[in-house]
Amino acid sequence: MKLTSLISQSTIVAVLALAGLSAHADTLDSIRAAKKIRISIDVANPPSGMTDSAMRPTGSDVDVAVLLAKDLGVALEIVPTTGATRIPNLQTNKADLVISTLAFTPERAKVIDYSIPYAGQVSLVGGIKGVNVKSMADLAGKSVAVNRSTTQDADLTANAKGATIVRYDDDAAVITAAVTGQADLVATSGALFQTMVNKAPARQLEPKFVLRTFDLGVGMRKEEPKLMAWVNEWVRTNMKNGKLNEIFKKYHGADIPESVVSQAK
């Protein structure tokens, strides 16, 4: 093969490769050009995501997404999700970001990237007062309800030896199971468990033990340096000016944990 032909082919390959990198790296520019950002949120996960009496999305994650879109100067399109479809929505380009109680885990970090944390979440096991459970070992022989593909599901699968894990497809179904008596034990977030307590006082639901405390980040596809830089700076700015804490306190009744706030300094 002639040298000029080899050079020509190499040039074409290089140009195509650079074009691909440019297209991928300019997601932030694409969002601005479209004047719209698609953010995946679970609206069946109160108080982080839910619907009001007029069936409009609301909750702390919804308010965070609204603020982000406003500061970016674009319209917000909410892409509904469940715990199991948050990451696939990114991977299949159905969403630009995920703001949906997305806790950091090493497994997830292999396939997506996270911003610095914008909020925190306590993960726990809770249940009716009459069930004596204080640790993972005490779950042996018992049934525990959980939302499929969540961090609670992963923790139970790895550590609750001898337990029967009853998986539901979304948090709404877990809430229903807890408040109607289908489930006497659940593994969920502290905020969602409080929703169950409030909905069914007669059930005498109480926290049993804490699984973990998680940092919650904004999820995005791998290798998005411009988008990552913008989101991280946005988190720092709104952590410093108190807007993120105001949103969190409005829905969760407490301040964002200092361990989260310190990471934005």
Side-chain angles (χ1 to χ4, degrees):
M1 186 179 291
K2 292 183 179 180
L3 179 59
T4 53
S5 178
L6 285 171
I7 292 173
S8 177
Q9 289 184 18
S10 298
T11 301
I12 292 171
V13 170
V15 168
L16 290 174
L18 286 171
L21 285 172
S22 177
H24 182 72
D26 286 347
T27 298
L28 180 60
D29 293 338
S30 297
I31 292 168
R32 283 173 166 152
K35 298 182 180 179
K36 179 179 73 174
I37 186 165
R38 302 165 302 160
I39 300 181
S40 217
I41 305 173
D42 185 349
V43 293
N45 180 26
S48 299
M50 50 195 170
T51 53
D52 63 17
S53 58
M55 298 307 293
R56 293 171 300 201
T58 187
S60 57
D61 281 339
V62 174
D63 281 13
V64 168
V66 168
L67 180 61
L68 186 149
K70 179 182 177 182
D71 289 347
L72 187 53
V74 298
L76 170 64
E77 177 185 334
I78 293 177
V79 180
T81 188
T82 64
T85 60
R86 290 173 296 181
I87 291 174
N89 280 354
L90 285 176
Q91 294 172 320
T92 58
N93 197 33
K94 291 179 181 177
D96 302 308
L97 297 175
V98 170
I99 301 179
S100 187
T101 60
L102 190 65
F104 177 88
T105 69
E107 294 76 17
R108 289 174 179 167
K110 292 176 183 177
V111 294
I112 66 166
D113 280 338
Y114 289 83
S115 72
I116 59 175
Y118 69 94
Q121 179 189 72
V122 173
S123 177
L124 57 76
V125 170
I128 59 173
K129 191 173 183 178
V131 178
N132 185 23
V133 169
K134 297 180 180 178
S135 68
M136 283 288 195
D138 295 332
L139 295 177
K142 297 179 175 63
S143 296
V144 189
V146 69
N147 186 359
R148 189 186 310 276
S149 299
T150 57
T151 53
Q152 292 87 16
D153 187 1
D155 282 345
L156 292 178
T157 301
N159 302 306
K161 306 303 181 185
T164 299
I165 303 171
V166 183
R167 296 177 175 87
Y168 291 85
D169 289 331
D170 54 42
D171 284 309
V174 178
I175 293 172
T176 299
V179 303
T180 61
Q182 298 173 49
D184 289 340
L185 289 169
V186 296
T188 185
S189 71
L192 197 59
F193 185 72
Q194 188 58 47
T195 298
M196 300 174 193
V197 172
N198 295 341
K199 280 180 173 288
R203 291 275 289 153
Q204 294 188 293
L205 295 167
E206 63 181 15
K208 299 298 183 180
F209 62 92
V210 172
L211 295 170
R212 283 192 269 176
T213 300
F214 289 99
D215 293 337
L216 302 182
V218 178
M220 64 195 75
R221 285 180 291 277
K222 286 284 188 182
E223 299 177 9
E224 297 283 5
K226 293 179 70 174
L227 185 58
M228 175 68 79
W230 189 92
V231 172
N232 280 341
E233 185 57 31
W234 177 85
V235 172
R236 291 188 185 97
T237 297
N238 287 283
M239 197 69 79
K240 184 177 180 179
N241 65 25
K243 289 183 179 180
L244 286 172
N245 190 67
E246 183 181 338
I247 291 171
F248 190 84
K249 194 166 186 176
K250 173 183 175 182
Y251 292 96
H252 298 267
D255 293 323
I256 295 174
E258 179 57 33
S259 61
V260 172
V261 176
S262 63
Q263 295 180 63
K265 294 179 179 177

